Amino acid sequence: MVIATLSLIGFFVALYLWFWKIGFIGSIACGSGGCETVQLSEYAEFLGLPVALYGVGGYLMLFGVSLLSLQPSWFERREPTIALVALAGIGVAFTAYLSYLEAAVIQEWCRWCLVSAGIITAILVAAVAGLREVS
Amino acid sequence: MARSINLKPFYFGLGAVAVAGGAWIWMVKAQAGGTTTSVNPVLVGIATSFEGYLLGADSAPVEVIEYADFQCPACAQFAILTMPDVRRRLINTGLVRWRFRDFPLPMHDKASAAHLAAACAGEQGRFWEMHDQLYYNHGAWVRERRAERKFRDFARAVGVELKRYDACVKEGRYAARIASTKDDGAALGVSSTPTFVIGGLMVAGSIRYDSLRTLVDRARPATTP
């Protein structure tokens, strides 16, 4: 339940960043202006797609799998929890790489990216805890 | 044995989060629309200093003047996200003539040097290529201690003859003209970047294509015979 809720919140954060990136919303609410610098940098795209779009997709997948894991037929099975740990692990690794770029290369911080980093880390912690419980 | 739990309250809470998230996005979108389509345009006069850098046909029925700062993130956002559509759908179709005017803001420590670099590239007919380099590689130079090196790399990349470019930059050949253009913009009422003058109406902010198109269409009847 925690993962589903966090995934949904993360989805909206990623959606916000993606919408800004594609020009759907005019300006980004980010005190220092670091979000714009980060989002307009060459690192804001990965394999030709906006990084935020990966966030939208990733959070949607986490949301879907977390809801699936709550269904009676899946509740006691390990597969959804393993999938959650794997997805969240990939998310945390990708986020760590992006945070490194913000800190060392771009030298600006995007606050919304930090919010997303906090969410995905919390999801991984919850997923690992869930895996231990199921085990 | 499968545990049975009542998920209805949870789904209700999840629905509330979804509604709140959707409302947030909708509000942000509505506010963005508010800063672009419902701005209060003000009538402005005509600039008297350097005419600026032109794109498009002289016969275009609408002229858009952009006052911009190369170091300004919102200007970069506009250049990267919106300008390609503007070029393809408005300028290349002969509907709009685009005029770029320098407006380096004093709080941006590298803006004047960037505008000078663009002017020196412009001297060799490479202003727009340099313009794109500066905006598309924004993150590569705004935090760079020696941004002039990057500008020189950009100049080389767009085919500028570096000997002439270096001489131009060194003597600050266009520094006075840039300052004059900026003063001219300030006298017209420009105070932030990007600011657009569309058919005699001034609009501030990184407007989206749809909003710009609306203002261009609004300007058309007054400018077409």
Side-chain angles (χ1 to χ4, degrees), chain A residues 20-21 23-24 26 71 108, chain B residues 11 29 32 73 77 81 143 208:
Chain A
W20 183 82
K21 181 73 179 171
F24 189 67
Q71 305 312 305
E108 280 282 359
Chain B
Y11 287 139
K29 167 94 175 67
Q77 183 202 10
L81 299 180
R143 300 288 157 199
R208 288 176 294 122

Side-chain angles (χ1 to χ4, degrees), chain A:
Chain A
M1 289 184 196
V2 172
I3 294 174
T5 308
L6 287 172
S7 304
L8 193 57
I9 295 169
F11 165 75
F12 281 111
V13 171
L15 192 67
Y16 175 64
L17 288 172
W18 181 53
F19 276 172
W20 183 82
K21 181 73 179 171
I22 60 173
F24 189 67
I25 52 177
S27 58
I28 194 164
C30 182
S32 65
C35 297
E36 289 168 332
T37 306
V38 170
Q39 288 291 310
L40 289 170
S41 76
E42 60 190 290
Y43 305 104
E45 289 202 353
F46 185 72
L47 300 177
L49 290 173
V51 164
L53 187 56
Y54 289 97
V56 171
Y59 282 120
L60 266 183
M61 281 195 277
L62 281 164
F63 183 66
V65 176
S66 60
L67 284 187
L68 179 74
S69 71
L70 293 170
Q71 305 312 305
S73 53
W74 290 89
F75 197 79
E76 303 264 329
R77 294 178 64 169
R78 293 188 75 210
E79 292 90 337
T81 314
I82 292 169
L84 286 174
V85 171
L87 282 170
I90 292 168
V92 167
F94 193 48
T95 300
Y97 165 67
L98 295 174
S99 300
Y100 159 75
L101 290 174
E102 287 182 79
V105 182
I106 308 169
Q107 294 178 349
E108 280 282 359
W109 290 99
C110 162
R111 292 179 188 180
W112 290 108
C113 306
L114 292 176
V115 169
S116 179
I119 290 171
I120 193 68
T121 307
I123 288 173
L124 180 62
V125 170
V128 170
L131 188 65
R132 292 179 66 178
E133 198 175 303
V134 172
S135 300

